[in-house]
Amino acid sequence: MTTVPSDHDEGTVVAARVERRWTILSAGLVGLMIGVALFAGIHRATMPQVWVETANPRTLHVSGEFIESNLGSALEADGSVTVRAVGQQFSFTPQCMLVPADTPITFRATSSDVVHGFLITGTNINGMLVPGYVTALPAKFANPGEYSMPCQEFCGMGHEGMWAKVKVVDKATFSDMAKQNRRLSCVAQ
Ligand code: CUA
């Protein structure tokens, strides 16, 4: 009598083969995903931003966007507001930024010396002011109110005392004020 491999044995062999292939495939997929996550994380952390705007810290006060007379809040033609600010050891200019509620706002800021932080407490607005570069942060405040803005990057002996304020006023008040002044802030108001 000859022995013929039974269906059972053959089935086991096929099942083992299929299982092995699936194991390799799923392990490969997991490996691939880890690889992609690692690459993306390391790449993002080590490459400069794709989109970079520069501002020479040596000539900030002399010419260009961050000259003192151009700092503060500006009402744009499209109804949005641009706030320009400079951080320096150990203050922000303007020291109090005025913005309207319920309006798209862009903060544009840079540093004239070392790295400072740009953080508006109670919001998700949190950036770094790096000398040589412009930090642009979009924002929108639902209601009038006041927010403090402590520098959150250690920048020297006066770091603890470096902070500013953001004052949010209602839209109508802001637009009335914008008719009087090209650039607004709440310093001395
Ligand atoms: Cu500026 Cu810390």
Side-chain angles (χ1 to χ4, degrees):
M1 227 177 118
T2 53
T3 51
V4 181
S6 73
D7 282 354
H8 177 75
D9 289 342
E10 209 172 314
T12 308
V13 171
V14 171
R17 194 168 61 221
V18 170
E19 214 162 281
R20 197 161 48 242
R21 283 181 188 164
W22 276 111
T23 306
I24 293 167
L25 183 67
S26 50
L29 279 173
V30 170
L32 182 71
M33 283 187 274
I34 291 172
V36 168
L38 274 178
F39 175 77
I42 293 168
H43 185 79
R44 270 195 69 165
T46 52
M47 294 292 143
Q49 297 169 27
V50 196
W51 176 77
V52 167
E53 276 186 277
T54 57
N56 186 346
R58 287 176 203 286
T59 58
L60 281 187
H61 325 84
V62 186
S63 65
E65 183 179 353
F66 295 96
I67 194 164
E68 195 164 2
S69 60
N70 201 38
L71 299 179
S73 312
L75 184 59
E76 305 292 350
D78 65 359
S80 71
V81 168
T82 307
V83 183
R84 293 184 179 84
V86 171
Q88 61 264 311
Q89 287 167 323
F90 295 98
S91 64
F92 292 97
T93 311
Q95 212 270 317
C96 179
M97 299 168 207
L98 189 76
V99 296
D102 195 29
T103 305
I105 292 156
T106 306
F107 288 97
R108 289 177 60 80
T110 188
S111 166
S112 63
D113 40 43
V114 299
V115 174
H116 297 284
F118 193 99
L119 165 82
I120 304 179
T121 49
T123 72
N124 63 352
I125 301 155
N126 186 354
M128 265 161 74
L129 306 186
V130 181
Y133 298 91
V134 177
T135 300
L137 299 162
K140 198 167 186 175
F141 299 88
N143 300 301
E146 273 195 20
Y147 298 84
S148 66
M149 247 185 71
C151 174
Q152 93 290 22
E153 294 284 343
F154 182 76
C155 53
M157 293 311 285
H159 163 72
E160 302 291 325
M162 179 173 175
W163 62 279
K165 239 174 24 177
V166 175
K167 189 174 173 188
V168 186
V169 296
D170 72 87
K171 224 171 165 163
T173 309
F174 186 90
S175 74
D176 282 349
M177 291 167 88
K179 282 173 197 145
Q180 320 282 322
N181 283 297
R182 205 178 120 265
R183 295 290 178 265
L184 293 167
S185 78
C186 40
V187 175
Q189 271 169 18

